[in-house]
């Protein structure tokens, strides 16, 4: 029995036809991250209001159908308000220093790096700030960053130990992660960090040795590849390792050689977390953010789209894991997410460190109002709310928008990239990820 059709297609829906099977349609619900294959006849029946109640209910549960598009858009518009209200999590990226033992030619911090380290006084203010979060019932995650965070190993351990003590006393959880060039992360150091609650580390390898050693040498000029590989092999059974790398137009096709070398050295897919290669971006004060570009860079240029799809295919084909398309937003949207600089200054994104007009406060003085400076409502407009890609970008990267126009005066639109890449990303997940097994 067919009932009166009470629902509409979701605004946040993409459909793609199968060239090899014209009777099937690939459906992706961007607001849910749900991907499924449907008969074309099912969508036709939905369009013509011929579905049974049971069919309607099933598609509504998945998110293909909604009872009210306007209500759906309003729910998305207020999504972060609701999440912030309910959040029980405090997360901070903690910059321990601006010093480094590598001399990467593309270094984001190159123009302001140096012997600048967090002082014990600032560390005390940091721990005090975090202890207030635990006292308020929040779980805590700290991501230690640099420069090279492990040049401040003693202070990293001190901060982690004290934060964990306060969390235990408050009955909350504390966990820690590390962003590191990995040259100093020996097995002994990894074990010490694990005992303090460290869960994961992000390594960077810029391709096979000849590419990596050119892009990421030690300050002495000596290559760093072999040291990093040795440490990676020694610690990936202790800490979860996320592997990143930075490619250029000239060298991205060499990066699969790195994956083969890892397997040859016994660093197989089952020993690593996600692998993601990202384009080298220009330097701070000009553009870019190398360690975090994977979450911010929008490769709209044709060669960048081609490179990102090629590399993701090669990662998955060898059995390594790569991030899936999913609901994603800038940390600016999350009230309890913070960047704490080595000097105690506070920011809402690591890309803004060092820009005085983007500082939102200090550990000593607290956090000010940043709603205008960061244009918090930038994506809350009719065009974005009616875009099926909104859940995958929420206006994109404020940092990149500012670099292009000199101000956060609009969104960093991802439509061009997603029009070109999303279908292929989904097909990669449906075919390669499902059928490939780790060696």
């Amino acid at each position: 029995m067919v009932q009166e059709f009470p629902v509409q297609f979701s605004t946040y829906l993409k459909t793609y036809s199968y060239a090899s099977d014209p009777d099937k349609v690939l459906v992706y619900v961007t607001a849910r991250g749900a991907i499924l294959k449907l008969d074309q006849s099912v969508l036709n029946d939905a369009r013509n209001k011929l579905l049974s109640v049971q069919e309607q209910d099933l598609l509504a549960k998945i998110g293909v159908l909604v009872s009210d598009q306007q209500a759906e858009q309003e729910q998305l518009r207020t999504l972060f308000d609701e999440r912030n209200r309910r959040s029980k999590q405090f997360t901070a990226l903690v910059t321990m220093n601006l010093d480094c033992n590598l001399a990467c030619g593309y270094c984001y911090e190159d123009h302001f790096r140096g012997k600048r380290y967090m002082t014990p006084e600032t560390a005390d203010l940091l721990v005090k700030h975090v202890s207030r979060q635990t006292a308020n019932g929040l779980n805590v995650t700290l991501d230690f960053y640099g420069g090279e965070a492990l040049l401040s190993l003693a202070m990293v351990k001190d901060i982690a130990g004290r934060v964990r003590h306060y969390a235990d006393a408050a009955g909350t959880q504390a966990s820690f992660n590390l962003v590191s060039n990995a040259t100093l992360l020996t097995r002994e150091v990894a074990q010490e960090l694990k005992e303090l609650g460290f869960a994961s580390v992000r390594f960077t390898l810029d391709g096979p040795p000849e590419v990596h050693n050119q892009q990421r040498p030690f300050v002495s000029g000596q290559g760093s590849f072999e040291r990093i590989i040795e440490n990676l092999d020694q610690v990936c059974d202790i800490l979860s390792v996320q592997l990143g790398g930075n490619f250029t137009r000239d060298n991205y096709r060499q990066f699969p050689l790195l994956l083969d070398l890892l397997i040859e050295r016994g660093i197989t897919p089952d020993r690593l977390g996600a692998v993601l290669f990202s384009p080298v971006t220009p330097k701070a004060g000009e553009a870019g953010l190398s360690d975090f570009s994977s979450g911010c860079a929008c490769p709209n240029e044709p060669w960048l789209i081609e490179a990102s799809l090629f590399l993701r295919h090669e990662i998955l084909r060898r059995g390594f894991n790569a991030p899936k398309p999913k609901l994603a937003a800038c940390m600016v949207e999350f009230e309890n997410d913070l960047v704490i600089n080595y000097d105690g200054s506070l920011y809402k994104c690591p890309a803004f460190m060092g820009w005085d007009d983007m500082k939102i406060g200090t550990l000593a003085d607290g956090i000010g109002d940043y709603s205008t400076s960061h244009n918090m409502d930038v994506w809350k407009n009719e065009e974005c709310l009616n875009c099926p890609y909104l859940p995958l970008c929420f206006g994109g990267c404020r940092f990149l928008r500012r670099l292009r126009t000199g101000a956060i005066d609009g969104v960093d639109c991802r439509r061009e990239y997603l029009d070109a890449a999303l279908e292929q990303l989904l097909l990669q997940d449906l075919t390669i990820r499902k059928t490939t097994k780790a060696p």
Side-chain angles (χ1 to χ4, degrees):
M1 177 180 176
V2 177
Q3 300 287 329
E4 180 66 24
F5 195 79
V7 288
Q8 306 165 295
F9 282 109
S10 168
T11 299
Y12 310 108
L13 188 70
K14 293 296 294 183
T15 60
Y16 305 97
S17 60
Y18 277 98
S20 59
D21 190 351
D23 294 329
K24 298 290 184 180
V25 180
L26 177 64
V27 178
Y28 184 62
V29 186
T30 60
R32 301 280 189 90
I35 179 171
L36 60 155
K37 186 189 295 186
L38 291 177
D39 290 339
Q40 179 67 61
S41 61
V42 173
L43 292 186
N44 291 339
D45 286 348
R47 195 171 291 112
N48 295 318
K49 302 183 179 181
L50 296 175
L51 292 178
S52 68
V53 173
Q54 291 77 13
E55 289 171 325
Q56 292 176 39
D57 288 345
L58 178 59
L59 292 182
K61 184 177 181 179
I62 297 170
V64 174
L65 301 177
V66 296
S67 58
D68 186 332
Q69 286 184 339
Q70 291 299 115
E72 179 190 37
Q73 291 177 19
E74 178 62 15
Q75 184 178 32
L76 211 60
R77 190 185 70 81
T78 59
L79 176 67
F80 300 112
D81 296 332
E82 183 64 17
R83 288 198 175 187
N84 286 329
R85 186 179 69 82
R86 295 185 177 185
S87 175
K88 295 296 183 182
Q89 177 69 40
F90 171 80
T91 300
L93 179 78
V94 181
T95 305
M96 297 303 301
N97 59 64
L98 294 178
D99 199 4
C100 193
N101 58 344
L102 296 187
C104 307
Y106 56 77
C107 180
Y108 161 69
E109 298 166 351
D110 189 49
H111 79 291
F112 55 78
R113 63 182 284 188
K115 303 285 184 185
R116 300 171 183 169
Y117 285 76
M118 182 176 289
T119 65
E121 292 76 18
T122 300
D124 289 343
L125 288 173
L126 186 158
V127 172
K128 184 176 181 180
H129 181 86
V130 176
S131 70
R132 288 197 291 267
Q133 313 308 314
T134 60
N136 288 331
L138 299 184
N139 298 318
V140 170
T141 298
L142 300 183
D143 298 321
F144 291 96
Y145 179 57
E148 172 49 48
L150 290 180
L151 291 172
S152 300
L153 177 59
M155 186 172 287
V156 166
K157 292 164 61 178
D158 173 66
I159 292 171
R162 287 195 281 165
V163 166
R164 191 174 184 182
H165 168 77
Y166 281 113
D168 288 344
T172 63
Q173 302 294 316
S175 62
F176 312 99
N177 305 305
L178 183 68
V179 180
S180 172
N181 64 35
T183 59
L184 302 174
L185 189 59
T186 63
R187 185 173 183 84
E188 180 182 3
V189 170
Q191 288 173 330
E192 292 175 2
L193 296 177
K194 181 72 172 181
E195 292 173 1
L196 290 169
F198 278 74
S200 71
V201 59
R202 177 170 177 174
F203 277 48
T204 301
L205 282 168
D206 283 1
E210 60 273 17
V211 176
H212 174 94
N213 287 334
Q214 182 180 29
Q215 291 192 172
R216 296 178 71 85
F218 283 105
V219 172
S220 66
Q222 180 182 356
S224 62
F225 184 89
E226 194 60 33
R227 175 81 61 82
I228 295 171
I229 283 287
E230 290 175 0
N231 287 344
L232 175 58
D233 184 42
Q234 291 296 309
V235 308
C236 60
D237 61 332
I238 298 175
L239 300 172
S240 173
V241 176
Q242 315 300 312
L243 183 62
N246 305 290
F247 62 82
T248 69
R249 185 172 190 163
D250 296 326
N251 65 29
Y252 75 88
R253 289 195 173 274
Q254 299 178 60
F255 272 58
L257 298 176
L258 166 64
L259 302 173
D260 294 335
L261 188 149
L262 291 175
I263 293 172
E264 290 173 9
R265 298 284 291 265
I267 305 172
T268 48
D270 57 296
R271 301 184 68 194
L272 294 180
V275 177
L276 177 63
F277 300 133
S278 307
V280 168
T281 52
K283 298 180 182 180
E286 303 167 6
L289 182 60
S290 59
D291 280 330
F292 294 89
S293 62
S294 61
C296 298
C298 183
N300 285 337
E301 294 183 46
W303 81 265
L304 280 171
I305 296 172
E306 177 187 344
S308 65
L309 290 170
F310 166 75
L311 291 172
R312 190 174 188 271
H313 178 276
E314 296 301 306
I315 290 167
L316 292 174
R317 187 172 70 84
R318 287 164 173 80
F320 291 96
N321 185 31
K324 296 181 179 181
K326 63 180 180 179
L327 188 145
C330 176
M331 65 181 293
V332 169
E333 303 289 351
F334 299 97
E335 188 175 311
N336 291 336
D337 282 16
L338 196 60
V339 176
I340 303 174
N341 205 1
Y342 77 97
D343 60 359
S345 54
L346 305 178
Y347 298 87
K348 286 300 293 182
C349 171
F352 291 137
M353 288 190 300
W355 291 5
D356 285 343
D357 63 322
M358 299 306 292
K359 182 167 69 174
I360 66 169
T362 68
L363 288 172
D365 300 327
I367 299 173
D369 182 4
Y370 53 88
S371 57
T372 300
S373 63
H374 289 64
N375 201 345
M376 295 303 295
D377 293 332
V378 65
W379 55 269
K380 297 177 183 179
N381 59 74
E382 185 175 354
E383 182 178 1
C384 286
L385 288 168
N386 280 288
C387 176
Y389 298 130
L390 178 62
L392 303 181
C393 76
F394 287 103
C397 177
R398 288 170 172 81
F399 172 65
L400 295 180
R401 176 70 185 194
R402 172 168 168 155
L403 293 174
R404 283 195 290 270
T405 68
I408 306 174
D409 55 359
V411 298
D412 168 43
C413 184
R414 303 298 170 97
R415 181 182 289 274
E416 184 177 350
Y417 168 71
L418 291 167
D419 276 346
L422 182 58
E423 180 180 6
Q424 295 184 60
L425 294 173
L426 298 175
L427 289 173
Q428 285 179 353
D429 284 341
L430 283 176
T431 57
I432 309 170
R433 192 189 296 271
K434 180 183 291 185
T435 59
T436 302
K437 294 183 179 180

